[in-house]
Amino acid sequence: MQEQREAEGPENDEKIRIAIEMLEKEKRMVEEMPDLELEDKTRRLRQACFKANYKKRKLMNMRFMEPQSSLAGLSNKY
């Protein structure tokens, strides 16, 4: 817990700002040279974001499907 508190604050904000600037720079470079390969950290970040979004969509679809399946069971009884 103590480590998390230390990670918050101005130092962490500065690290985030620097990371965003690096990503924006890499984005501009890829736009200028489409054949350019992404850095390893960037690829891992994209993969982690894709995975998180996929899990989120999957959970939302499961939640969306639950009420319909329970209502279908009720209509068969009557």
Side-chain angles (χ1 to χ4, degrees):
M1 290 290 195
Q2 185 71 17
E3 293 175 43
Q4 286 180 334
R5 287 188 209 138
E6 291 174 3
E8 297 173 357
E11 298 88 17
N12 193 39
D13 291 344
E14 182 67 17
K15 287 181 183 180
I16 292 171
R17 187 187 61 76
I18 291 170
I20 291 171
E21 287 177 3
M22 289 175 57
L23 288 170
E24 288 174 347
K25 180 182 175 185
E26 191 168 2
K27 178 183 174 185
R28 285 191 301 273
M29 289 175 59
V30 168
E31 288 173 350
E32 293 172 5
M33 300 177 283
D35 294 335
L36 183 70
E37 288 195 23
L38 298 175
E39 291 183 20
D40 189 48
K41 288 182 179 182
T42 306
R43 277 186 290 197
R44 289 181 185 206
L45 176 62
R46 290 185 75 231
Q47 184 178 16
C49 290
F50 180 83
K51 186 176 181 179
N53 288 333
Y54 176 79
K55 285 183 176 182
K56 183 178 175 182
R57 283 193 312 266
K58 190 174 179 181
L59 284 173
M60 292 300 287
N61 284 337
M62 289 175 69
R63 289 182 184 163
F64 179 71
M65 297 301 282
E66 281 179 12
Q68 291 177 352
S69 62
S70 62
L71 290 176
L74 289 175
S75 63
N76 291 337
K77 290 182 181 179
Y78 298 105

